[in-house]
Structures are given as structure tokens and as C-alpha cells.
Amino acid sequence: MASRTPYPEAARELLRQTLFTAARDHLLERPWSEVTMSDIAAAAGVSRQTLYKEFGNRSEFGLALTIHEGERFLDAVEAAVLAHTDNPRAAIRAALELFLRTAAEDPLLRMVVTDDGSGGMLSFVTSQGMPVTVWATARLSAVIEEGWPQAPDR
């Protein structure tokens, strides 16, 4: 029997998912620079205080949202890579095709990729992006090590 997630942990994860979904919905309509914490809290059905208590400030929430969306994206990239462990070239091709298709089709990812700095999200993957870069590099390194354990470390 699988272990159960304790209620406080499950409730916190549900809150976070609800807040991320609310933010994503707003970001489909307008740039991050125009979305307020009040907008997100109201769309999620919680108080601003709850949102701030969970994330600290708007910048921390934006970074957490960027990582959340990055996780969704990297889950798909990892699956594409691991589906081709018998052929590293096919794995890279599948990952790049997924990246390009997602960058073209996903409105939030497209917003980040095409942000000229005025939309407010670009900094989460550039000037404030060290946590995102370190995390994404570790994830991609892990999938390469999993798919090709015989590959040299470098």
C-alpha cells in the first residue's frame, strides 16, 4: 500500500497548484507586468495574505511559477529523451522537436521566449534566473545519466 500524503502537505500542494493555475490563466490574457497579486489571489479564491504567506513576495511567486511551468515542460522533454535511449540522436531530435513545438504553441512559454523585457517574465530566466538555470541543468543532466549511464561525466 502506498503511503498517504499528510493532509497539511496535500492542502499546501493544492493551494500552490490553484495559485499557479490562476496566474497562468491571467498570463494568457496579459503580460506578467500587468498581473497583480490581487488578481491571482482573487482568481484562486484566496486572500492576498494567503498568497503572500505562501510565497513571500511577487518576485518569489514569479520565480516559483517559472519553475513550476519549467517542471511541466522538462517532464515532457525527459519523456521524449527516455523514449529513445537506444538512439541518442533520436533522443536529441525528439527533445528539440518538442522544445520548438512547445515554444511555438504554449502561450506562456512563448511569452517568456519572446519577452523583450517589458513583459516582466524574462528576468526569471535571465538576470534572476540562476535558480532556474541550476535546477534545469541538474534535471537535464540527470536524464542524460539515466538514459546513458555509460556516458562519461563531462
Side-chain angles (χ1 to χ4, degrees), residues 107-124:
L108 187 56
L109 184 57
R110 192 170 55 243
M111 181 185 298
V112 172
V113 172
T114 62
D115 187 359
D116 63 0
S118 63
M121 299 254 354
L122 183 62
S123 66
F124 294 124

Side-chain angles (χ1 to χ4, degrees), residues 44-127:
V46 300
S47 68
R48 270 188 2 191
Q49 180 180 4
T50 298
L51 177 54
Y52 279 106
K53 183 177 178 187
E54 184 62 30
F55 291 99
N57 61 46
R58 187 172 186 277
S59 182
E60 288 177 21
F61 177 77
L63 185 57
L65 174 64
T66 302
I67 290 172
H68 170 75
E69 291 297 319
E71 284 177 344
R72 289 181 46 219
F73 176 65
L74 284 180
D75 286 346
V77 169
E78 287 176 4
V81 168
L82 293 175
H84 300 282
T85 56
D86 59 326
N87 185 340
R89 287 178 193 243
I92 291 171
R93 185 179 317 110
L96 286 174
E97 286 174 359
L98 175 72
F99 171 80
L100 293 173
R101 185 176 57 253
T102 304
E105 295 172 359
D106 183 276
L108 187 56
L109 184 57
R110 192 170 55 243
M111 181 185 298
V112 172
V113 172
T114 62
D115 187 359
D116 63 0
S118 63
M121 299 254 354
L122 183 62
S123 66
F124 294 124
V125 292
T126 57
S127 61

Side-chain angles (χ1 to χ4, degrees), residues 84-88 143-154:
H84 300 282
T85 56
D86 59 326
N87 185 340
V143 78
I144 290 169
E145 289 170 10
E146 181 182 343
W148 300 278
Q150 72 282 6
D153 287 345
R154 45 172 229 283

